[in-house]
Amino acid sequence: MESTAGEYFGARVREYDALIRACVPRYDEMLERLVAYLPAGAERILELGTGTGNLALAVAGRFPAAQLMLVDAAPEMLAVAGERLPQAEPIVARFEALELPAASFDLVTSAISLHHVEDKAALYRTLYGCLRPGGALVFADQLLGRTADLHGLNWEAWLAHCRLPGHCTEEQTQSFLDHAEAHDHYTPLEEHFELLRAAGFVELDCVWRNWIWGIVHARRPS
Ligand SMILES: C[S@@+](CC[C@H](N)C(=O)[O-])C[C@H]1O[C@@H](n2cnc3c(N)ncnc32)[C@H](O)[C@@H]1O
């Protein structure tokens, strides 16, 4: 097992786009919905965990004149995203080590990436600080169910989806489970809200949900 989540994804860059759709139910719908909830008028946008650029492409489609900064720990992933989005600024970095200019982004977006960060309180303070007043943080991610039973149901639904004919091999599914054990830090929705509120965010909502996946909306007050 690779020692960081970035190394895990970097090693799978060629198969990533097919694999993510095979293992995340309604992946494209989730990205489309996230983009639909982005407030209008963004000029400067930060994306965390760009991967091959699937969300960033949709965001660029909605805000064609905006400056995009794309952050990912895996240089292999950012190389693919960079080819698809040559106008964007790629930054190879871990989220935990990011130093961002204060009050300089209108939007922060992310998909299926923030659960790799253990200290979300610190991350949310950093993201709040880099947003302009009125700016929004909108991210899709894997959430911990409110109870062990609810989480178990979500988890089994995910594994059943992976094991559908033509989706993932048993070896791939096992590698997701090993990856989750080694690198994932799931947080319940309620705790996300508490941490976001403590960082100063308002207008907290979960605007879409499907099994373990959800989209969270938060805003820095104007
Ligand atoms: C599951 S992929 C999601 C990619 C893309 N957002 C999508 O929706 O397809 C997670 C991405 O986050 C990156 N990543 C994971 N942990 C990270 C960290 N701590 N710092 C920076 N990037 C990280 C990985 O390299 C990977 O490209």
Side-chain angles (χ1 to χ4, degrees):
M1 176 57 52
E2 293 81 3
S3 63
T4 64
E7 287 174 18
Y8 176 89
F9 288 105
R12 287 160 181 79
V13 64
R14 274 178 301 146
E15 55 182 336
Y16 178 81
D17 280 352
L19 206 52
I20 198 74
R21 290 182 170 89
C23 78
V24 175
R26 295 161 62 188
Y27 169 77
D28 289 294
E29 175 193 315
M30 182 172 72
L31 301 190
E32 277 168 30
R33 195 62 62 84
L34 193 163
V35 172
Y37 277 98
L38 298 176
E43 293 173 2
R44 198 144 187 255
I45 302 171
L46 170 68
E47 195 195 58
L48 299 181
T50 295
T52 55
N54 295 328
L55 175 62
L57 270 176
V59 171
R62 164 99 195 267
F63 301 98
Q67 283 180 278
L68 280 178
M69 181 188 279
L70 310 177
V71 177
D72 202 292
E76 302 89 342
M77 288 292 223
L78 271 188
V80 174
E83 280 170 23
R84 299 169 88 188
L85 292 137
Q87 74 280 23
E89 179 188 3
I91 307 276
V92 178
R94 285 177 62 77
F95 310 140
E96 297 87 336
L98 269 182
E99 287 184 19
L100 297 165
S104 53
F105 294 97
D106 303 296
L107 282 179
V108 178
T109 62
S110 181
I112 331 182
S113 297
L114 300 189
H115 65 272
H116 295 112
V117 176
E118 189 163 13
D119 186 355
K120 293 190 180 68
L123 176 74
Y124 290 156
R125 285 194 295 271
T126 301
L127 298 183
Y128 183 91
C130 82
L131 279 168
R132 292 179 178 143
L137 163 65
V138 188
F139 66 90
D141 208 356
Q142 286 152 218
L143 305 169
L144 189 69
R146 181 69 182 76
T147 65
D149 282 351
L150 290 171
H151 191 67
L153 198 73
N154 290 342
W155 198 254
E156 289 310 317
W158 167 52
L159 292 176
H161 180 84
C162 292
R163 291 176 173 136
L164 284 172
H167 281 223
C168 308
T169 63
E170 223 13 77
E171 193 186 338
Q172 287 167 330
T173 305
Q174 188 56 50
S175 112
F176 304 150
L177 289 168
D178 294 342
H179 167 88
E181 176 79 24
H183 302 299
D184 290 357
H185 304 282
Y186 301 128
T187 303
L189 183 60
E190 207 170 283
E191 195 180 325
H192 276 289
F193 286 167
E194 281 164 17
L195 297 172
L196 287 162
R197 204 173 283 121
F201 283 101
V202 296
E203 296 184 23
L204 308 178
D205 205 348
C206 176
V207 293
W208 181 94
R209 181 92 194 229
N210 183 48
W211 302 115
I212 204 172
W213 291 273
I215 299 178
V216 173
H217 171 282
R219 216 155 169 158
R220 180 172 171 157
S222 301

